[in-house]
Amino acid sequence: MRGYLNFAVAWVMLAPLLYTTAVSGGGEFSLDYSKLSGIIIPGFASTQLRAWSILDCPYSPLDFNPLDLVWLDSTKLLSVVNCWLKCMLLEPYNQTDHPECKSRADSGLSAITELDPGYITGPLSSVWKEWVKWCIEFGIEANAIIAVPYDWRLSASKLEERDLYFHKLKMTFETALKLRGGPSLVFAHSLGNQVFRYFLEWLKLEIAPKEYVKWLDDHIHAYFAVGAPLLGATETVKATLFGHTFGLPVSEGTARLMFNSFGSSLWMMPFSKNCRTDTMYLKHFFGGSRKDHHTYHCDDQEYHSNYSGWPTNIINIEIPTYRGVDAYPSVYEVEQMNMSSMECGLPTQLSFSAREISDGTFFRAIEDFDPDSKRLLYHLQQYLGDPVLNPLTPWDRPPIKNVFCIYGIDLKTEVGYYFAPSGKPYPDNWIITDLIYENEGSLFSRSGEMVEGNPGVASGDETAPYHSLSWCKTWLGPKVNITRAPQQEHDGSDVQVELNVEHYHDTDIVPNMTRSPKVKYITYYEDSESIPGRRTAVWELDKANHRNIVRSPVLMRELWLQMWHDIHPEAKSKFVTKAKRGPLRDEDCYWDYGKARCAWPEHCEYRYIFGDVHLGQSCRLRNSSADLLLHYV
């Protein structure tokens, strides 16, 4: 808690002012700081899995016992990888556990903070730990932060069927309201946003239509969509065909085997913004008489635009013209095969857009050459025919009062792949011959050559392309206020503002603003005109990595200031001001060597405490900084 006593004093002095009515978006709402809850929905592979059975690992003392860590126990992964895989893999079709081992998602905040606790592995596997630490250090009560971990290996329908996850999530919101007396803030990261989207659609089947919006207004004050791949992520394709190790010490083939056994492997597949499905719940409004309630259709724009609106074709793959008796030969058969016969014909190269991936065209094209295609097509049909929601369709703005979409931009991100047969047996039967990246508005191959296509004005966050992350800009109203400010503390001299910018539906917004190459900016797109009682904002953080964004001090600062602004009785604007950003914590104070003093002298002072090892560590907030937060009303 070092360094937060001054802030705590400021908070105690301001707290009596917060139990009143605040103004937002021209409409009034009652919001009490003490009544808010925060519900965290983690992303893919961001929840601990624990063993729920006993597994004896031969020739090793490292057995699996109930409640032992499975994901992620690095010691067992390195020592008994075959045993570890039994606890991770699911049956390819019905998604049941391996006959010899069963794993289940852990519960509580500890399940999402550090996946592999330890002196060395803990910081490397930290996900939400810094986020929770911020909440604690800023005075948030223990029962106000609720994690809702889930088994990220399962598809949405299986989550509900096996674990009743969405029933439990509904009860979590209702319990939080009863316990705290106020609505919740939803923080979802990556795949967690798709989980939350499915929950909102599932809820329509559980609540009477007239009560649906009221339930949302009563239970959810704001939704923060962090790093949401709203139109999918191209890395999912690579993980499906080639394998993605996520930095683990396993081969790509092993990673592919594991990933493709999960029902969630298709949940983040890229898809076209021009294709939609009517959801099943509509039949409730027609007395069950509607026959075409589940049709998948694409509009004319899909067939007149290149690459389904994405920067380029996502998959370019060589299909061999030669096919032996067995399309998936064993290692021995590969060695004995007369490879000279393959020289008679050149392979055929085919290209596939996002739509052709999500509707199954691609998997049917390689069905004779890849044993996983049949299983993937089976699961794809489960997604396309899901009675609650086809997740491979674009998401409209959720009917929640306040929506904040937050993501990183301008990092090199994979947007396309070239695959070819490797000549090896499954799961190593494909190799990547080339990659296409987007970076700061341009496309280029792995060799550095420029590639033609439809690059966006920016690039993605190293995992999800900009095209997918920025889809939430379509949720903004017809007029938008744009502000670009430095991410670090600043005095307002480098803040740029454009007011009432026209926004057309389904189009991106490109601000006419300058950039300094040495400065990381955060660009805010905020509704100038919106539906009464509804606010939408999009925050783009320069160089923010997909995984690390949830522990970014800049993001946590902005979230805190926005929520503090919302609950302040004197707030007059819809959003917190961006005119200035000063230090909020002792860690934000630093030593200015040029002036031989602490920077921000109006807020920071030199105050040595025993144990400080450098000048910057001795720069701390002044005792007179109780009014610091008043700058952000």
Side-chain angles (χ1 to χ4, degrees), residues 7 57 60 72 108 176 257 274 309 342 367 394 436-437 488 553 611 633:
F7 188 88
C57 298
S60 173
L72 183 63
L257 276 172
N274 303 314
M342 298 184 63
E367 192 170 2
I436 301 176
Y437 299 96
Q488 298 303 317
V633 177

Side-chain angles (χ1 to χ4, degrees), residues 27-40:
E28 294 187 354
F29 61 87
S30 180
L31 191 60
D32 189 333
Y33 164 74
S34 68
K35 296 181 178 180
L36 290 177
S37 300
I39 294 181
I40 301 175

Side-chain angles (χ1 to χ4, degrees), residues 406-424:
I406 307 161
Y407 52 88
I409 62 169
D410 281 344
L411 290 173
K412 188 171 74 171
T413 306
E414 298 171 2
V415 294
Y417 303 97
Y418 283 82
F419 291 99
S422 66
K424 299 179 181 179

Side-chain angles (χ1 to χ4, degrees), residues 7-74:
F7 188 88
V9 172
W11 181 253
V12 170
M13 295 177 66
L14 291 170
L17 299 175
L18 303 181
Y19 300 97
T20 53
T21 300
V23 178
S24 176
E28 294 187 354
F29 61 87
S30 180
L31 191 60
D32 189 333
Y33 164 74
S34 68
K35 296 181 178 180
L36 290 177
S37 300
I39 294 181
I40 301 175
I41 308 178
F44 182 80
S46 296
T47 294
Q48 286 181 350
L49 302 178
R50 291 189 178 273
W52 203 249
S53 60
I54 299 174
L55 177 62
D56 181 16
C57 298
Y59 313 111
S60 173
L62 300 175
D63 298 331
F64 281 95
N65 295 298
L67 301 184
D68 281 356
L69 265 182
V70 177
W71 183 271
L72 183 63
D73 188 328
S74 57

Side-chain angles (χ1 to χ4, degrees), residues 337-385:
M337 190 180 297
N338 183 6
M339 303 301 288
S340 62
S341 62
M342 298 184 63
E343 299 174 1
C344 298
L346 296 174
T348 303
Q349 180 166 303
L350 303 177
S351 299
F352 298 90
S353 65
R355 172 181 57 83
E356 293 167 323
I357 294 173
S358 61
D359 68 7
T361 301
F362 164 66
F363 296 112
R364 282 188 289 269
I366 66 169
E367 192 170 2
D368 290 337
F369 306 98
D370 194 282
D372 261 347
S373 294
K374 184 178 179 180
R375 186 201 67 84
L376 292 169
L377 278 169
Y378 172 82
H379 282 292
L380 185 61
Q381 292 305 315
Q382 302 302 307
Y383 278 101
L384 296 177

Side-chain angles (χ1 to χ4, degrees), residues 2 66 86 115 156 158 168 226 399 402 415 418 494 508 558 591 593:
R2 183 187 60 79
K86 290 179 181 179
L115 300 182
K158 287 295 182 181
K168 294 177 182 178
V226 184
N402 304 291
V415 294
Y418 283 82
D494 193 18
D508 199 359
E558 294 303 314
W591 185 260
Y593 286 91

